[in-house]
Each structure stands twice: as structure tokens, then as C-alpha cells.
Amino acid sequence: MFRRLLSFDEAKQLLEQSFSSVPVGEEQVSISDAYDRVLAQDVVSPIDIPPFSRSTVDGYAVKAADTFGASEDKDINLRFCGHVAIGEAPAVTVEEGSAAEIVTGAPLPDGADAVIMVEYTSRQGENIFVRRPVASNTNIMAKGSDILKGETVLKKGRILGSREIGALAAIGLTDVTVYRRPKVAVLSTGGEVVELGTVLPPGKIFDINAHTLSAAVVECGGEAINLGIFPDEKDMLKRALEEALASSDVVLTSGGVSVGPKDFTPQVVDSLGKPGVIISGVAVKPGKPLTIAVVEGKPVFSLPGNPTSSLFMFTVFVRPILLRLAGRTEEEMPKVKAVAAQKMFPARGRRTFTMVNLAYNKDGTLLVSPVSTGLSGAITTMTKADGFVEISEKQQFVDAGTEIDVFLFKKLKKP
Ligand code: AMP
Ligand code: MG
């Protein structure tokens, strides 16, 4: 296992080459469980929608030609020939000179080619008086005019929201084929870390990473499996990792990747199988000790223990891979241009990601400045941030007054 710090770009490139991130598989789900899933196949309609030509108004189904010449001054008299009930096949046929009463949504009876609105008619017994002409097809939604049988309604890759689920329901699908959610095992390490739900013993801290990372996995369309906290002990860690690999598509660990005497994670991960550790440290800040392995085709990301570094490295390195395993396309992170309110420095020789806040000054200029807590161990650094700026390792500093790109964690408020 080598220990050479790769540059950010080298690390990204090596990860792409070492691991092909294609969707992990497909499964059938009921449409009641389909929300936010991704279609793994085109959806083709087995039926016409609407399944029959139907009236879009309340009125009378007629032969359009029978109404030609009708006006307010000179109505045309048609013979009432029956009633078309909604939800049933029509029992009447409209012959020349006749009209069938029809309601919105009811099927157009044979013989009719238009519907005249009840407002333009009056009725006396068996006589219907029509005061306006209608052209053929007026007030009719033709069979298959919304969706034709055999038509592709939704394309593979489409994320299913309420609108898409409506289209599936319209064509009567009870199940759809979607990409399986990648299973992501999440392990925390460190003797000082304890699970939530206890009173903190002296010297201990709550497990933050298992929870931030699990939520981040769900945000990428994955399924997080929290395997718990492991002490800095090689054999236990190895057994836990073997189980994690056997039961998941991706493994995430946090902690134990630095150069402390109990930082065993890289060495244990490397012993799990081939090719083992491919990235052992990246010249970035935060997140320098990031370690990435591939074991029998599955990626193992060993993130730093520091919660901000850990979540940030997830965002930059894990998220794009996970999205693709879930069949999702990696979307551009939203960004805005803002003016540096103060000078900002990168860590020497490292691609530096600085958490920032945005604010408008009096003349409406958007200003960007580092989050005031700035401490690398503070979890609130990321909670307080509006976004981050990326400062190249080749740059000496970003001068106050320069315009730079700010990547946004959340939507920008109006000035
Ligand atoms: P390490 O990378 O194990 O040296 O950890 C770096 C820092 O992150 C230490 O202060 C740890 O106590 C802290 N840390 C490690 N794991 C977690 C975790 N799961 N939740 C919160 N803090 C952690
Ligand atoms: Mg540790």
C-alpha cells in the first residue's frame, strides 16, 4: 500500500478508472412504493388513453351535420333518442336528426361525432332545440388522443414524482421496474464514539458520522445500513468490514485514517482483497487522509473522522459514484458568482474547500466570506454554511474584491 498524496484531480481520475459505476440492478416495485425511484425501463402504454372517445361537456351527442345552419334566431329541432350514462357502454345509437343526452366523461355513442353544450339547447318533451352549430369532433376527447397504445409514456432514467406516478396510474400499471437502491454499509470507528440514546460518559462523544453519512446516502438514492461503532481494534474491524462487504454494494467507514497509533483503517481495508487501497490521502482540505479501496469490485471509502471533513469528502468523492450506482445522473451543483469580502488562502499545496456565507451589501453586491466558526472540528461549520468556494492548490490566495464561484448548499435568499 502506497502513501503518496494524490492531487485532487489525480484522485478523481484514478477513482473513475478503478471502478465502473453502473446501476447496481433492477427490481419491481408497486406504484405505491415508487415515489422518488428511477425507471430502469421505458414505460410503454398497454392501452389507449382515454380508452374510449368521451364527451368533455354536459349536453347532447349529435351528428355535427345535423346542426349546420342553427342560430339564435333559427333553431334546429332534433329528436331525443335516449340517455348515455357515465361509466357504461352507450345503449343508444344516434341516427340522423336525433340527439342523445350525455354528461361529461361519458362515452360518445355510435353515430354521433360531436357534442353540443346543454347551454345552447332547450328541451320540450322529445324535442331538442339546438341554437348553435357544432363542427365534427367538437367537445370530444378522442380515444387515444392523450396516450396511444404502444406509446412510450416515460423514459428510462426518469425519477418518479407525483406527475409521473399519475401517468403510470392512467395506463393501469400496478408495478414498475426501477433501479435497485445501492446498499451502503456505514461503519463508525473510535473508542471515544458512542451511539445516541445514552448519557455521554466522560471523554466520549456521540456518533455524528453514521447519521450524517446515512442521510447523505439516502439523498443520493441509496439505502444506508448502519452497522454501528467499532473500537480501534484490527480484528474486530476486519470482521465487521468483511460482513459489510458481503451484504452491501458500497462500504463507508469514518475515522481511523490519520497517522495516529490507533488509525488502523487503511491497513485493515487493504487486507480485505484485491486490488485493495488505490487512494491513500488526497491533497485537499478538508479531508486529506481520505482513503479509497476497491475490494472485489466494490468500493470502500474510508472517510476522515472529523464530521465536516467526512461529510465534505462524501459530497465530493462518494456522491457522484453513488448517484450513478442508483441510476441517477449527477446534476451540476448550483452556483453563483460573488465578490470575496476578505482575502482567502488555500492550505499550502492542497485544493481547498472553504465553507462560506453569502450576504448582500448596501448596493446589492453579493459578498462571500468564510464561515466564522471556521474550526475544522466544528460540525456547525457545515450547518452554518450557505455553500463553499474551491481554491486551487496552484493559487496563492483569493484577493478581497475578486469575483469567485460559490457552490450552494441551499437556495439563495432574495436581497
Ligand atoms: P480520527 O480520524 O479517528 O482521528 O478522528 C478525528 C476526529 O473526529 C476526532 O476528534 C474524533 O473523535 C472525531 N470523530 C471520529 N469519528 C467520529 C464520529 N463517528 N462522530 C463524531 N466525531 C467523530
Ligand atoms: Mg479515531
Side-chain angles (χ1 to χ4, degrees), residues 187-190 192-194 203 205-213 229 232 254-260 262-263 265 289 303-308 310 377 379:
L187 292 80
S188 296
T189 69
E192 78 284 21
V193 183
V194 296
I205 57 169
F206 285 128
D207 183 0
I208 300 172
N209 295 341
H211 299 284
T212 50
L213 295 173
I229 305 158
D232 298 300
S254 68
V257 284
S258 312
V259 288
K262 289 195 159 188
D263 289 337
T265 309
L303 305 166
N306 173 319
T308 301
S310 169
I379 179 65

Side-chain angles (χ1 to χ4, degrees), residues 361-385:
N361 73 3
K362 282 199 206 82
D363 35 284
T365 309
L366 190 59
L367 296 179
V368 54
S369 48
V371 171
S372 54
T373 42
L375 303 171
S376 67
I379 179 65
T380 53
T381 308
M382 251 175 118
T383 328
K384 285 176 183 163

Side-chain angles (χ1 to χ4, degrees), residues 171-375:
I171 59 174
L173 292 194
T174 53
D175 301 280
V176 271
T177 308
V178 296
Y179 290 116
R180 187 165 71 68
R181 290 187 190 282
K183 287 197 176 105
V184 183
V186 180
L187 292 80
S188 296
T189 69
E192 78 284 21
V193 183
V194 296
E195 189 46 274
L196 314 182
T198 50
V199 176
L200 269 185
K204 307 278 189 199
I205 57 169
F206 285 128
D207 183 0
I208 300 172
N209 295 341
H211 299 284
T212 50
L213 295 173
S214 296
V217 165
V218 174
E219 284 173 351
C220 298
E223 181 193 337
I225 308 159
N226 183 356
L227 294 183
I229 305 158
F230 298 87
D232 298 300
E233 205 276 305
K234 284 187 209 168
D235 291 339
M236 276 178 85
L237 189 58
K238 183 162 184 182
R239 249 174 289 135
L241 282 166
E242 279 166 352
E243 270 170 45
L245 274 168
S247 61
S248 64
D249 303 297
V250 175
V251 178
L252 298 183
T253 72
S254 68
V257 284
S258 312
V259 288
K262 289 195 159 188
D263 289 337
F264 299 133
T265 309
Q267 141 189 13
V268 172
V269 168
D270 198 46
S271 72
L272 294 171
K274 292 287 159 217
V277 170
I278 55 162
I279 293 169
S280 178
V282 185
V284 289
K285 188 190 171 163
K288 180 174 146 194
L290 173 72
T291 300
I292 303 176
V294 176
V295 180
E296 261 103 63
K298 293 183 183 175
V300 180
F301 294 90
S302 297
L303 305 166
N306 173 319
T308 301
S309 312
S310 169
L311 185 54
F312 197 72
M313 285 300 97
F314 178 96
T315 309
V316 181
F317 282 94
V318 185
R319 184 182 160 84
I321 300 267
L322 214 49
L323 286 171
R324 280 183 263 144
L325 293 178
R328 292 170 188 256
T329 38
E330 192 188 348
E331 68 290 5
E332 289 277 337
M333 219 172 156
K335 61 181 178 186
V336 286
K337 292 218 181 286
V339 173
Q342 64 189 75
K343 209 166 179 174
M344 288 185 260
F345 297 89
R348 177 186 275 276
R350 288 196 268 161
R351 180 81 52 98
T352 300
F353 299 91
T354 303
M355 302 300 133
V356 295
N357 286 121
L358 288 164
Y360 290 95
N361 73 3
K362 282 199 206 82
D363 35 284
T365 309
L366 190 59
L367 296 179
V368 54
S369 48
V371 171
S372 54
T373 42
L375 303 171

Side-chain angles (χ1 to χ4, degrees), residues 64-117:
D66 285 349
T67 68
F68 294 168
S71 70
E72 292 292 332
D73 306 328
K74 186 175 164 293
D75 53 27
I76 287 180
N77 184 1
L78 299 176
R79 187 175 25 84
F80 177 82
C81 68
H83 175 82
V84 185
I86 193 157
E88 281 169 35
V92 292
T93 300
V94 174
E95 309 285 356
E96 212 178 305
S98 73
E101 192 183 14
I102 192 166
V103 292
T104 306
L108 192 72
D110 282 347
D113 65 352
V115 177
I116 178 153
M117 287 169 82

